[in-house]
Amino acid sequence: MLNQKSFKLLALLLALVLMMVACGGGSEEADTTETDTTDTTDTADTTDEEPAAEEETTEEAAEGEEIVLRIFGGNVGQEKELTEAVANRFMEANPGIRVEVIETPDFVEDRLGTYLQIFEAQSPEGDVFQIDVIWPGDLAEHFVDLYEYGAADVAGDHFDAIIENNTVDGKLIGIPWFTDAGLLYYRTDLLEKYGYDGPPATWAELEEMAMTIQEGERAEGNPDFWGYVWQGNAYEGLTCDALEWIASNDGGSIVEPDGTISINNPQAAAIVDQAAGWVGTISPEGVTAFGEEDARNMWQAGNAAFMRNWPYAYSLGNAEDSVIAGLFDVSPLPAGDSGAGAATLGGWQLAVSKYSEHPEEAARLALFMASYDEQKYRAIEGSLNPTIKALYDDAEVLEAAPFFGSLYDVFINAVARPSTATAPQYSDVSAAFFNSVHSVLTGEQDAATAFEVLELDLQDILDQ
Ligand code: GLC
């Protein structure tokens, strides 16, 4: 017989057992059942997984020969060919890696759109991206810090100002690849023919010379001849051209480094009105739809006396198949009221996407592409300005592109667009600016009216 005490003890024991069943033992049993199933699955999984892991290793080994790196770059002039050549050299030196060069749109804003789609999807489809000098501030979040991948050893070889431009919060988000500055191309043979000693020093001189040569060449039977071709489409290239006009006329740089919106001033308005006067007189009506390549095509066909363009047009103009080979030279752009010409700073960097599956190899590729030897190759073959200082003392480079030496000051004093002062709104600022200038070029309004409105738009964009 159980007395009350023993009963209580028994009940307690029973409760304990039940508790154990509920919390541990029972679940153990349940687990065992499940484990049986799970185990089977697990075993199946493991069986599956192990070969899978093996496959991966094999795949990696196979992929060791097949790591694919994609460079997203430009194809203005001969850019794509030049990039493919460097990609081939990299592949020879790195047998495990295949490099593909993906062509992107010529116009900067279209190219930016392509890149943003990839970044917004955090897609690994691109590894190395050719990025514009105006983008570091807007795009930094999508790129690795190249200082973590060996760039510290070479950064000091490049122009300090470009390294600084590409450094965001202490991170080097792009290794400089080539730099750009706006130049005036002029036909030496035609200047001589019409009795001019040298290129125009001022915009007024350019107007006069362009008109004289244009009239002369047309009278001699070339109805397609124009005085001056440049970039007048509503896109980033027009921001570059118009900034040059305005800076050369003491009209500021749209938004100043301290953030002051300066565009609404009479000096800026006067020179943009003056440029509007070129459309249909010394420049074709169609110039308001021209990009770099449209201007170059007309120039290289022998149908223009002057052209505003970047250095890349130099080697193409002197190529064997070019009708103007040996018949032109380059000079600084003409001056307005400031007494000195101004060149907009352009140029491109190589950045490695954060979403790349092979950042290590991609960074190796970017640094290889931007190395001394490769920049030298591009300088000689493509007249693309190096960002490595020592290349401006390299005899072979100077022989291929003598203006790298004679116009050195133009390159190092080029005027920056306000991309740092307005980041991350630069693209919007520039679009407001080039649309406003374009409306003046097409005769919709005068520059004073356009810039009054532009000032208000910029205040909105910049929240001032
Ligand atoms: C050139 C310049 C670049 C600029 C572009 C405008 O590619 O290097 O900085 O934004 O032209 O069209």
Side-chain angles (χ1 to χ4, degrees):
M1 288 274 301
L2 295 169
N3 59 21
Q4 213 182 354
K5 207 176 162 191
S6 326
F7 182 79
K8 271 189 181 166
L9 199 68
L10 197 68
L12 195 69
L13 272 172
L14 198 69
L16 269 173
V17 169
L18 281 173
M19 259 171 67
M20 278 172 67
V21 168
C23 305
S27 65
E28 223 170 79
E29 222 187 308
D31 264 358
T32 318
T33 330
E34 270 175 28
T35 311
D36 283 349
T37 339
T38 322
D39 268 352
T40 329
T41 330
D42 267 353
T43 319
D45 268 352
T46 319
T47 329
D48 272 2
E49 246 168 40
E50 269 164 5
E54 264 167 34
E55 260 164 38
E56 237 167 58
T57 328
T58 335
E59 245 168 48
E60 251 172 39
E63 246 187 62
E65 288 147 45
E66 282 182 17
I67 285 186
V68 178
L69 297 178
R70 290 191 192 83
I71 305 169
F72 277 65
N75 189 23
V76 174
Q78 46 183 346
E79 268 187 300
K80 192 173 178 202
E81 275 162 64
L82 294 175
T83 307
E84 274 166 352
V86 56
N88 287 337
R89 281 189 287 275
F90 182 80
M91 285 192 276
E92 270 163 36
N94 294 269
I97 303 178
R98 181 154 58 87
V99 181
E100 289 174 7
V101 180
I102 312 293
E103 187 182 325
T104 56
D106 281 2
F107 280 5
V108 159
E109 36 289 302
D110 302 338
R111 190 175 300 168
L112 182 62
T114 305
Y115 289 8
L116 285 175
Q117 272 178 6
I118 293 173
F119 298 147
E120 269 150 27
Q122 307 203 346
S123 160
E125 99 188 68
D127 301 281
V128 173
F129 287 81
Q130 174 181 336
I131 64 161
D132 201 333
V133 68
I134 49 180
W135 291 345
D138 289 13
L139 293 185
E141 62 183 295
H142 304 293
F143 299 122
V144 305
D145 177 6
L146 290 171
Y147 281 138
E148 287 176 11
Y149 294 89
D153 297 341
V154 291
D157 300 342
H158 297 262
F159 287 124
D160 301 342
I162 306 182
I163 291 289
E164 198 183 310
N165 178 75
N166 297 0
T167 305
V168 180
D169 297 331
K171 297 182 179 138
L172 186 67
I173 61 103
I175 189 80
W177 196 24
F178 67 99
T179 184
D180 253 345
L183 301 173
L184 182 72
Y185 286 73
Y186 63 97
R187 287 281 297 276
T188 46
D189 58 333
L190 295 177
L191 259 59
E192 205 187 314
K193 178 171 168 187
Y194 291 88
Y196 298 110
D197 297 341
T202 64
W203 294 111
E205 278 175 36
L206 175 126
E207 288 170 1
E208 192 274 315
M209 291 164 79
M211 188 50 100
T212 304
I213 301 173
Q214 179 179 301
E215 281 172 353
E217 292 303 291
R218 288 189 184 184
E220 279 187 22
N222 182 358
D224 300 327
F225 196 91
W226 287 97
Y228 186 37
V229 291
W230 39 281
Q231 294 75 44
N233 204 333
Y235 79 118
E236 187 63 29
L238 177 56
T239 293
C240 297
D241 285 41
L243 175 60
E244 285 160 353
W245 308 331
I246 293 170
S248 78
N249 206 44
D250 267 343
S253 57
I254 312 164
V255 177
E256 302 310 304
D258 69 358
T260 311
I261 298 168
S262 62
I263 187 59
N264 187 16
N265 73 78
Q267 291 299 114
I271 192 84
V272 172
D273 281 332
Q274 189 175 341
W278 303 336
V279 180
T281 57
I282 55 169
S283 306
E285 290 283 351
V287 78
T288 56
F290 272 20
E292 282 83 359
E293 286 292 81
D294 305 294
R296 186 177 69 82
N297 288 337
M298 192 167 270
W299 157 260
Q300 210 169 304
N303 287 332
F306 298 101
M307 168 176 76
R308 183 272 176 208
N309 218 323
W310 307 101
Y312 83 95
Y314 187 89
S315 64
L316 287 162
N318 277 323
E320 269 171 31
D321 61 350
S322 163
V323 299
I324 54 160
L327 300 178
F328 70 93
D329 209 345
V330 286
S331 76
L333 286 159
D337 285 349
S338 78
T344 294
L345 175 71
W348 295 84
Q349 341 300 315
L350 295 166
V352 170
S353 165
K354 254 192 188 164
Y355 319 113
S356 163
E357 279 161 1
H358 310 286
E360 192 94 27
E361 289 83 359
R364 207 193 311 151
L365 171 60
L367 294 178
F368 178 88
M369 292 169 73
S371 66
Y372 186 99
D373 287 348
E374 292 303 334
Q375 288 206 4
K376 178 169 176 173
Y377 166 79
R378 292 165 58 81
I380 292 173
E381 296 298 321
S383 55
L384 292 165
N385 281 63
T387 59
I388 295 178
K389 292 172 262 186
L391 279 162
Y392 288 83
D393 295 326
D394 187 298
E396 286 167 300
V397 167
L398 292 176
E399 198 198 325
F403 68 97
F404 284 4
S406 57
L407 299 186
Y408 186 73
D409 284 353
V410 172
F411 298 116
I412 57 166
N413 294 319
V415 182
R417 283 161 277 174
S419 53
T420 304
T422 64
Q425 264 89 39
Y426 174 71
S427 293
D428 293 342
V429 166
S430 180
F433 174 67
F434 64 63
N435 284 319
S436 171
V437 172
H438 195 257
S439 73
V440 179
L441 297 178
T442 52
E444 274 165 58
Q445 52 186 337
D446 63 27
T449 316
F451 289 168
E452 246 174 63
V453 178
L454 175 61
E455 181 177 41
L456 299 174
D457 287 349
L458 294 182
Q459 284 167 356
D460 266 1
I461 294 170
L462 297 172
D463 233 350
Q464 289 188 9

